[in-house]
Amino acid sequence: MAVFEKPVEVLPEATVLFAGDSGDGMQLTGMQFARATALARNDLATLPDFPAEIRAPAGTTYGVSGYQLHFGSVPIRTPGDAVDMLVAMNPAALKVHLPRVRRGGTLLINVNAFDRRGLELARYETNPLEDGSLEGYQVIPIELTRLTRETLADSGLDKKEIDRCKNMFALGLVLWLYSRPLEPVEQWLAQKFASRPKIRDANLKVLHKGYHYGETHELFAVRYEVRPAHLEPGLYRAIRGVEALALGLIAASHQSGLPLFYGSYPITPASDLLHELSRHKNFGVMTFQAEDEIAAVGAALGASFGGALGVTATSGPGLSLKSETIGLAVMTELPLVVIDLQRGGPSTGLPTKTEQSDLLFALYGRHGEAPLPVLAASSPGDCFYAAYEACRIAVRYMTPVILLADGYLANGAEPWRVPDVASLPPFEVRFATEPNFHQNGEARFLPYRRDPETLARAWARPGTPGLEHRVGGLEKEDETGNVSYDPANHQRMVKLRAEKVARVAREIPPTEIFGDPEGDVLLIGWGSTRGAIEAAVEHLRDRGLRVGSIHLRYLNPLPPDLPEIFDRYHHLVVPELNNGQLVRVLRDAYLRPFVPLNKIQGLPFQAREIETFITELTQA
Amino acid sequence: MSDAKRPEENTPRGTRPVMPPGAKPAMPPKARPAMPPGAKPAMPPRARPAMPPGTSPTGDGKPRLTRKDFASDQDVRWCPGCGDYAILATVQRLLPDLGVPRENIVFISGIGCSSRFPYYMNTYGMHSIHGRAPAIATGLKASRPELDVWIITGDGDALSIGGNHLIHILRRNLNVQILLFNNQIYGLTKGQYSPTSEEGKVTKSSPYGSIDHPFNPVALALGADATFVARSMDRDTKHLQEMLRRAHDHRGAAFVEIYQNCNIFNDGAFFQFTERDTKPHRTLFLEHGKPLVFDEGRKGIRLDGLQPEVIDLTDDRWSVDDCLVYDETNRELAHLMARIFFHPELPQPFGVFYREKRPTYEDLLHHQIAEVTARKGKGDLQTLLRSGDTWVIEPEPAEVTP
Ligand SMILES: Cc1ncc(C[n+]2csc(CCOP(=O)(O)OP(=O)(O)O)c2C)c(N)n1
Ligand code: SF4
Ligand SMILES: [Mg+2]
């Protein structure tokens, strides 16, 4: 086949969205494109968006699964506000995702799926390919189904197996369009289907077919190129939030010398962390799939009592179930890390959609006076450091810690500069081995004697002779840890536990400001919204506004340097993916007119949503 | 136990019905002698090695611990006369015998009168939250298999709020001892009916009689595939000690239901089995490899098909040879015995109903870790961080600034 070179247009950045039926393999397709993109050294961010049902009825709008990817030679902070190219495998995918495509954007459409039945299922009254409704977009109609079947006509596969390969056609074509090599996908296919050579070969064949289709077909006048980004030098890999969490926990276990015990009960999106950790048994990781979330956190706490690093993770409803045991961890003053991958709530809510609505629950969701440190991760790669830090704080202060992440962080991926193990913060553990109290020639162990600096109590592992002691949920007498109903003691202990948590603030590094260090607007964010907020700050500054942002890793205790930062701005805006939670905490702590900016749609912020809000606010 | 002032008792002492209201009528009597009991009993459980007095059974030459060494400095605060005292004393007397270093012993409990137990033991311990002791013990035992973990729980703690955890620890078979103090009442919350209270029971929360069907804890444990199931009582500390010792000897989750008198809210719940007048003919002590006889040898149990029936050994018709020989490794026999439950005509079985060998959870867990480690090599953190598709970004040439 004669190959003629087509002109290449260089783009600083692009956003591609693969969408189809949940059975069409769109997540895999998107992930493979992301991988090829990372290997091409672009900066990137991804947003998978899949239906709650495993296999929703084929062809319906609620069965649409999408994978959005924003990549560039410039810094990429979000999965992209507006889509440059939508790959729509069927009418439902077009219907659901067309609103995300920018005017003038490209629609790569599998026209074979636009038959009467397909249109009906997507509830299109007329065919959008024919009724003019796609005017203003660049439509590339492709007979994906037919071309795939043609390619595999003599493959020996049945029709269903053949149709399942059509995502590879789309992938091959998009790889060609963005001047990406095929090798990474080829390697992946070879590995994935190593034991099924027929399937492997069929996928490879269709992948190549798609690639050549771009090369040869006159529909495509140009192809694009996105050059490598200016990234900090070093070794990189693409990492998903759940992978980073798993690595962070393993690193904490490794650096502390504490064996990692991970108890969990499957729930979306936290299950992936269980899947991930259970693969790493050769790091001594103990994973325990419990009978429910209560048992999961209970077992983790039991392991902590035994001197392990007890960790549990969950989402939404699971956090509610863990509440009582977290309270027990507060009372017994044992280290425990609870990771909450937030999702849309309340109740079962939006299981596959992201939200930041568990902040108040993490801060206050226990009976009694039960403060604990709350941390949040701000990007998929940051999940590594956040998990490590959560473990470190839990052990250093002998306290449960809640680490907040969310579905978007867990599933999202970004290039990650691999850290040097030696550069990780020190993580030292000292178990009690000797009595810590001497009186009248008698040596005793007082389990609630505290470190004068951190106020952490002594941690004595069962098995240590002479330090036998009991802990439990009843109020503890100061120092001895005996059961006490003494009124003054209770007040003292409540204050002590609170003070211990407050002292974590002494370790919080100075807050970094992104953008202008003083000016019109300060955006105060936490969690997964970092990218959108910082992208908005950049754009607003380009337009002449003096805007800065800070992003909180520590939500309890709050960093001590916030008030002086607040002083330097005219407006204080708190963007959150909830109905206003951090904003309440800040108002309570600092008594200032913080302005909420809330999005509660199960989707991350788009930078332009924040920009519009700030523009209106400053003009008002 | 919650405070000093105790309300009136709910039921008169010693006048308890023999069977729970609503229990099934007795089986019809049959005359034909039964088949000889099927399975041949396995080896009797191993005897303890004899120990020279005054030395530790570990043989490490350390002075032998005594009961006192296991008592903590905390005042025991159960109501005077409570059956919990006898159980505590029995455990404290048994532990020095077991040869486990004191620092390796951990008691984990839930919430309830019974669950105060760990505070009174001079060992490691955790008084946790209601119903969750098995979950906490699972994490502890799984991560520290060398520890000797005892779970203390009540009928409400284990079978109401903690029912889920109980069945799961049994099926997973962690090597722990589970002591269920069954007083057929919620003691700590001052006397509501519990999941083991008999139908019709009048309590504060059931003034017109409970309409709840009770659990049979032994049958429940067998149903959950427990590998060791026994029943004993607070008033027979010799038997109780033997059951606890056997539970401890068993490698796997050992479930021991202990009938415990709550003299404040449910006095006499088990008197038919525990008091001298009625104990002989109302109880049946299961012994491995021995014929089932009771009432001081005057009566026996034989099988008529699948139905146990009482035979009179004092007349010429039946002899001990006609009695069912118990085999505690026979699951079917265990189920048959477990189903004799507050039966008006059949004696209530006590003893080891069942035991079997099955790998423990913690062994499997650590075996798997060792196996994967042997196959993949001990994990190296830096290698793990660098795994996957990686690429290197070289430093950019320094920008020329004018
Ligand atoms: C979550 C929770 N719900 C309820 C209680 C109140 N409560 C404490 S003990 C108990 C029942 C205890 O009964 P049981 O387990 O039979 O123990 P006993 O006191 O009879 O030994 C209840 C309902 C509690 N502590 N925690
Ligand atoms: S079980 Fe009954 S007798 Fe025992 S301490 Fe509790 S209330 Fe008192
Ligand atoms: Mg009870």
Side-chain angles (χ1 to χ4, degrees):
Chain A
M1 193 184 294
V3 175
F4 50 96
E5 280 299 309
K6 293 190 176 179
V8 173
E9 189 183 322
V10 175
L11 302 173
E13 61 183 304
T15 301
V16 176
L17 169 53
F18 296 91
D21 222 42
S22 53
D24 281 341
M26 290 295 95
Q27 298 303 319
L28 279 181
T29 310
M31 262 143 72
Q32 286 312 307
F33 189 75
R35 196 161 150 274
T37 302
L39 290 171
R41 301 182 183 193
N42 288 153
D43 199 0
L44 70 103
T46 64
L47 174 64
D49 180 15
F50 31 76
E53 292 77 16
I54 304 299
R55 286 284 147 88
T60 57
T61 48
Y62 48 93
V64 171
S65 165
Y67 192 99
Q68 185 172 326
L69 177 98
H70 183 198
F71 53 101
S73 55
V74 295
I76 298 299
R77 305 187 191 281
T78 74
D81 283 5
V83 170
D84 298 306
M85 178 178 298
L86 169 67
V87 179
M89 303 296 280
N90 65 11
L94 179 68
K95 186 159 196 189
V96 170
H97 289 300
L98 188 64
R100 289 211 201 165
V101 182
R102 71 169 164 82
R103 280 269 141 192
T106 305
L107 308 174
L108 218 151
I109 292 173
N110 175 20
V111 290
N112 293 133
F114 283 65
D115 54 8
R116 233 190 62 199
R117 171 126 186 88
L119 294 168
E120 260 170 27
L121 279 168
R123 299 190 190 263
Y124 268 122
E125 284 179 2
T126 56
N127 188 342
L129 299 173
E130 292 160 4
D131 64 8
S133 62
L134 301 182
E135 232 163 78
Y137 298 95
Q138 225 187 306
V139 179
I140 306 182
I142 303 179
E143 294 188 87
L144 263 178
T145 314
R146 189 184 64 78
L147 288 164
T148 303
R149 286 181 188 169
E150 214 175 84
T151 311
L152 297 179
D154 46 10
S155 63
L157 300 183
D158 64 30
K159 199 171 134 224
K160 220 171 141 193
E161 289 172 316
I162 290 176
D163 282 352
R164 231 182 256 149
C165 294
K166 64 179 183 294
N167 59 334
M168 286 299 124
F169 195 103
L171 180 58
L173 180 54
V174 179
L175 285 170
W176 178 84
L177 271 168
Y178 287 95
S179 315
R180 300 272 181 254
L182 284 176
E183 286 79 28
V185 183
E186 287 169 348
Q187 283 163 10
W188 172 78
L189 281 172
Q191 214 179 18
K192 181 168 166 77
F193 297 115
S195 60
R196 287 187 289 168
K198 250 166 91 177
I199 304 274
R200 175 198 61 201
D201 293 345
N203 274 292
L204 283 170
K205 199 165 174 194
V206 176
L207 179 75
H208 288 136
K209 188 78 181 175
Y211 198 88
H212 283 295
Y213 191 80
E215 234 163 30
T216 52
H217 209 284
E218 68 275 11
L219 268 174
F220 308 96
V222 290
R223 65 199 296 208
Y224 307 104
E225 187 184 341
V226 176
R227 300 247 162 96
H230 301 287
L231 298 164
E232 215 185 314
L235 182 80
Y236 279 77
R237 61 181 281 188
I239 202 159
R240 293 201 307 144
V242 277
E243 287 173 312
L245 286 171
L247 295 184
L249 295 175
I250 293 171
S253 159
H254 184 270
Q255 295 302 91
S256 62
L258 300 173
L260 176 59
F261 183 95
Y262 180 77
S264 188
Y265 184 75
I267 185 166
T268 303
S271 308
D272 277 351
L273 186 49
L274 176 60
H275 305 164
E276 198 56 37
L277 282 168
S278 58
R279 294 173 46 225
H280 298 301
K281 294 234 144 66
N282 60 329
F283 285 83
V285 176
M286 294 169 272
T287 54
F288 170 62
Q289 183 174 314
E291 57 270 25
D292 59 27
E293 283 87 351
I294 301 173
V297 67
L301 186 65
S304 286
F305 181 58
L309 182 58
V311 180
T312 185
T314 189
S315 305
L319 189 64
S320 302
L321 289 179
K322 291 181 195 292
S323 185
E324 190 190 5
T325 309
I326 298 173
L328 177 64
V330 169
M331 192 59 121
T332 53
E333 302 194 41
L334 284 166
L336 173 73
V337 174
V338 180
I339 301 174
D340 175 26
L341 296 170
Q342 302 165 93
R343 63 187 217 183
S347 190
T348 312
L350 306 169
T352 60
K353 308 288 175 188
T354 200
E355 202 162 272
Q356 296 185 304
S357 48
D358 295 347
L359 174 62
L360 292 180
F361 190 75
L363 290 169
Y364 308 121
R366 289 161 297 283
H367 66 277
E369 298 285 351
L372 50 75
V374 177
L375 277 62
S378 64
S379 76
D382 183 54
C383 284
F384 174 84
Y385 296 100
Y388 187 92
E389 178 69 352
C391 295
R392 199 187 64 80
I393 299 274
V395 171
R396 185 163 153 76
Y397 292 86
M398 294 292 283
T399 176
V401 172
I402 293 181
L403 170 58
L404 294 171
D406 57 35
Y408 168 59
L409 286 181
N411 294 317
E414 66 177 357
W416 184 59
R417 208 165 75 93
V418 177
D420 227 339
V421 169
S423 71
L424 295 174
F427 193 156
E428 193 197 339
V429 184
R430 263 176 300 146
F431 286 112
T433 53
E434 301 282 329
N436 56 3
F437 181 73
H438 302 267
Q439 196 181 43
N440 308 330
E442 198 203 356
R444 283 172 67 196
F445 176 63
L446 302 182
Y448 279 72
R449 278 218 125 177
R450 292 168 193 280
D451 178 294
E453 188 194 330
T454 60
L455 297 184
R457 74 171 186 89
W459 193 9
R461 292 178 358 133
T464 315
L467 306 193
E468 291 86 356
H469 66 279
R470 276 67 54 196
V471 296
L474 287 170
E475 180 61 287
K476 298 281 160 281
E477 185 180 70
D478 195 10
E479 302 236 316
T480 66
N482 290 331
V483 175
S484 167
Y485 302 125
D486 178 72
N489 177 75
H490 178 53
Q491 179 148 351
R492 183 161 63 250
M493 292 302 279
V494 166
K495 295 281 189 191
L496 265 174
R497 288 187 289 260
E499 170 63 15
K500 178 177 80 166
V501 172
R503 285 205 184 172
V504 173
R506 295 179 177 182
E507 288 195 39
I508 301 180
T511 304
E512 282 174 27
I513 299 172
F514 181 86
D516 288 302
E518 55 181 36
D520 306 321
V521 180
L522 177 72
L523 290 158
I524 304 143
W526 66 280
S528 65
T529 54
R530 179 173 205 144
I533 292 174
E534 293 185 353
V537 168
E538 270 180 342
H539 301 160
L540 290 163
R541 291 179 76 207
D542 286 348
R543 280 187 244 146
L545 273 177
R546 291 167 67 232
V547 183
S549 68
I550 57 174
H551 214 74
L552 304 180
R553 148 91 78 233
Y554 302 86
L555 294 152
N556 189 46
L558 289 161
D561 60 358
L562 295 184
E564 45 178 298
I565 297 174
F566 296 153
D567 285 345
R568 294 187 240 142
Y569 297 85
H570 191 63
H571 299 285
L572 302 170
V573 177
V574 187
E576 294 179 90
L577 300 173
N578 57 34
N579 200 22
Q581 300 203 3
L582 178 63
V583 75
R584 283 165 215 263
V585 175
L586 293 176
R587 280 177 186 155
D588 172 49
Y590 304 107
L591 301 173
R592 293 178 195 229
F594 295 95
V595 181
L597 162 52
N598 306 113
K599 178 173 180 179
I600 327 163
Q601 300 170 11
L603 293 168
F605 274 119
Q606 298 190 340
R608 67 173 171 208
E609 292 164 342
I610 300 173
E611 288 159 44
T612 308
F613 184 88
I614 300 298
T615 310
E616 281 166 12
L617 180 79
T618 49
Q619 279 165 2
Chain B
M1 194 204 72
S2 50
D3 65 9
K5 196 163 160 283
R6 290 295 175 187
E8 291 298 312
E9 292 165 28
N10 292 314
T11 41
R13 277 166 203 267
T15 57
R16 309 191 50 79
V18 236
M19 60 183 290
K24 303 290 172 289
M27 54 205 72
K30 284 268 171 70
R32 220 174 57 81
M35 298 284 291
K40 193 138 181 76
M43 287 292 292
R46 68 185 163 89
R48 275 183 312 121
M51 210 68 68
T55 56
S56 147
T58 50
D60 57 5
K62 284 188 193 161
R64 190 196 174 90
L65 297 174
T66 66
R67 175 184 169 185
K68 268 215 193 106
D69 293 307
F70 285 95
S72 76
D73 59 358
Q74 299 298 295
D75 295 333
V76 183
R77 297 215 230 156
W78 288 310
C79 308
C82 172
D84 290 350
Y85 282 98
I87 307 174
L88 176 67
T90 304
V91 172
Q92 286 172 339
R93 242 182 249 122
L94 171 69
L95 286 182
D97 254 20
L98 296 178
V100 180
R102 188 173 60 176
E103 63 271 18
N104 280 359
I105 300 175
V106 187
F107 282 84
I108 308 263
S109 64
I111 297 291
C113 295
S114 37
S115 287
R116 296 291 176 95
F117 196 97
Y119 287 123
Y120 308 137
M121 296 298 303
N122 189 13
T123 63
Y124 284 91
M126 190 193 290
H127 173 227
S128 75
I129 45 178
H130 202 18
R132 318 303 174 193
I136 289 165
T138 294
L140 179 64
K141 183 70 184 177
S143 57
R144 297 283 309 279
E146 75 277 20
L147 297 176
D148 188 16
V149 177
W150 300 70
I151 294 170
I152 305 293
T153 182
D155 42 321
D157 196 60
L159 300 171
S160 270
I161 193 164
N164 197 27
H165 309 307
L166 178 70
I167 57 177
H168 287 278
I169 197 172
L170 292 176
R171 86 175 158 86
R172 290 193 185 105
N173 197 34
L174 280 107
N175 183 14
V176 297
Q177 293 74 245
I178 303 165
L179 278 47
L180 192 159
F181 293 29
N182 183 4
N183 54 14
Q184 295 189 342
I185 200 83
Y186 284 178
L188 191 71
T189 47
K190 302 188 197 171
Q192 301 82 5
Y193 62 95
S194 90
T196 54
S197 300
E198 68 277 13
E199 279 172 45
K201 186 175 200 70
V202 173
T203 70
K204 271 190 228 149
S205 58
S206 54
Y208 303 109
S210 160
I211 55 172
D212 277 34
H213 182 75
F215 266 137
N216 172 344
V218 163
L220 183 96
L222 287 170
D225 272 2
T227 57
F228 181 98
V229 180
R231 179 188 288 142
S232 191
M233 57 177 86
D234 54 1
R235 304 246 171 152
D236 187 343
T237 53
K238 197 162 150 264
H239 183 259
L240 176 59
Q241 194 182 58
E242 190 49 28
M243 289 304 103
L244 297 181
R245 184 195 307 281
R246 299 246 355 239
H248 187 263
D249 283 352
H250 175 73
R251 218 180 138 71
F255 176 84
V256 185
E257 181 193 16
I258 304 168
Y259 285 163
Q260 172 244 324
N261 193 39
C262 168
N263 53 311
I264 300 298
F265 296 113
N266 201 15
D267 197 22
F270 309 106
F271 277 1
Q272 55 171 320
F273 311 130
T274 59
E275 302 313 284
R276 213 178 26 210
D277 300 351
T278 47
K279 184 177 177 185
H281 67 267
R282 289 300 297 141
T283 60
L284 171 69
F285 284 85
L286 308 173
E287 285 185 81
H288 187 63
K290 300 225 174 116
L292 294 182
V293 292
F294 65 108
D295 206 5
E296 285 151 2
R298 285 190 290 266
K299 287 179 186 148
I301 296 285
R302 70 182 274 274
L303 271 193
D304 177 19
L306 287 176
Q307 300 282 16
E309 73 173 8
V310 174
I311 49 178
D312 189 344
L313 303 180
T314 56
D315 62 23
D316 297 340
R317 190 148 165 246
W318 304 106
S319 79
V320 156
D321 297 339
D322 297 306
C323 294
L324 175 62
V325 175
Y326 199 65
D327 176 0
E328 64 194 23
T329 67
N330 183 322
R331 186 184 289 274
E332 281 64 43
L333 282 185
H335 279 287
L336 277 179
M337 287 302 119
R339 277 294 152 202
I340 304 178
F341 188 55
F342 291 85
H343 195 284
E345 272 145 34
L346 294 172
Q348 183 97 337
F350 291 81
V352 177
F353 284 71
Y354 185 63
R355 71 181 155 87
E356 77 174 56
K357 274 201 182 126
R358 196 164 80 216
T360 67
Y361 183 86
E362 65 274 19
D363 281 353
L364 294 172
L365 174 71
H366 290 279
H367 180 76
Q368 190 173 58
I369 290 175
E371 203 180 59
V372 175
T373 308
R375 188 150 35 87
K376 288 177 127 184
K378 195 167 158 32
D380 175 70
L381 180 58
Q382 190 69 65
T383 311
L384 176 67
L385 298 185
R386 287 164 181 266
S387 60
D389 291 309
T390 56
W391 65 98
V392 174
I393 302 290
E394 304 292 351
E396 290 169 47
E399 245 169 70
V400 189
T401 38

